[in-house]
Amino acid sequence: MWFKLLILAIAGVALYRFFGGKVPFLDNDKKEQREEESDFGKIEATSSCAVCGTYVTEEDALIHKKNTYCSIECLEKAK
Ligand SMILES: [Zn+2]
């Protein structure tokens, strides 16, 4: 009998979360982590591609002769 109740409780929580409900003791850690990630994303420096103007992060950018390019293709076009 307790097993059926447990399944019912899990199904209830799953349904509650499915419809956008928040379970504080389950969601707190994840939420804090996500906020840290998005803050990091905002701080991250971006540059626009010298050819097509696409914004790329410093990490993904290709830098050639002080110009920033989003991809090898754009770097080839610039030559
Ligand atoms: Zn480009």
Side-chain angles (χ1 to χ4, degrees):
M1 186 60 196
W2 63 269
F3 191 68
K4 277 186 184 173
L5 282 173
L6 190 73
I7 288 171
L8 210 75
I10 291 167
V13 170
L15 225 85
Y16 177 63
R17 286 169 62 91
F18 180 76
F19 288 109
K22 290 273 189 292
V23 183
F25 62 92
L26 283 174
D27 286 330
N28 269 353
D29 290 351
K30 282 183 191 170
K31 200 187 170 195
E32 275 167 27
Q33 211 176 357
R34 241 180 276 141
E35 276 169 8
E36 274 171 33
E37 278 169 16
S38 62
D39 280 346
F40 179 73
K42 278 174 208 159
I43 300 161
E44 201 172 7
T46 54
S47 314
S48 60
C49 173
V51 175
C52 69
T54 302
Y55 280 90
V56 285
T57 61
E58 297 273 293
E59 199 182 316
D60 296 329
L62 298 169
I63 294 159
H64 180 68
K65 291 179 183 173
K66 291 180 184 174
N67 285 319
T68 310
Y69 303 97
C70 67
S71 61
I72 298 284
E73 285 79 20
C74 282
L75 182 60
E76 292 293 324
K77 280 180 204 167
K79 277 180 184 173

